[in-house]
């Protein structure tokens, strides 16, 4: 998985979090498959098509916090992740 401080786009813009579709019990094989990028300040109350119940690993950038909910539309239980 990338280091939290290394989350940047190809042109150097900061990324707040990256969510990955594939995971593995072996650390060096984690953070694989399709990637969903969360930009700083993004507010996404619904997961994009095909991503519901699919995220298996994530990396949150430095100075960022990722809040997730157990149900669509920011309902249900919430959990916060940070670097």
């Amino acid at each position: 998985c990338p280091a939290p401080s290394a989350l940047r786009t190809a042109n150097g813009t900061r990324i707040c979090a990256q969510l990955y579709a594939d995971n593995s019990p072996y650390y060096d094989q984690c953070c694989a498959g399709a990637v969903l990028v969360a930009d700083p300040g993004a507010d996404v109350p619904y997961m994009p098509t095909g991503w519901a119940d699919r995220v298996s690993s994530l990396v949150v950038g430095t100075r960022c916090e990722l809040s997730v909910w157990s149900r669509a539309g920011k309902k249900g239980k919430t959990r916060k992740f940070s670097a």
Side-chain angles (χ1 to χ4, degrees):
C1 296
S5 61
L7 290 183
R8 299 207 176 269
T9 63
N11 68 4
T13 305
R14 193 166 69 99
I15 294 173
C16 195
Q18 285 188 170
L19 293 77
Y20 298 89
D22 296 342
N23 197 2
S24 170
Y26 302 103
Y27 184 77
D28 63 338
Q29 297 174 17
C30 289
C31 300
V35 177
L36 180 62
V37 173
D39 295 318
D43 184 10
V44 183
Y46 297 93
M47 291 296 282
T49 303
W51 277 93
D53 296 324
R54 188 169 176 207
V55 175
S56 62
S57 53
L58 60 90
V59 176
V60 179
T62 54
R63 299 186 328 262
C64 278
E65 184 175 76
L66 177 70
S67 299
V68 298
W69 287 263
S70 61
R71 300 184 9 168
K74 297 182 180 180
K75 295 182 180 170
K77 294 181 182 180
T78 187
R79 182 158 181 195
K80 296 181 182 209
F81 296 91
S82 61

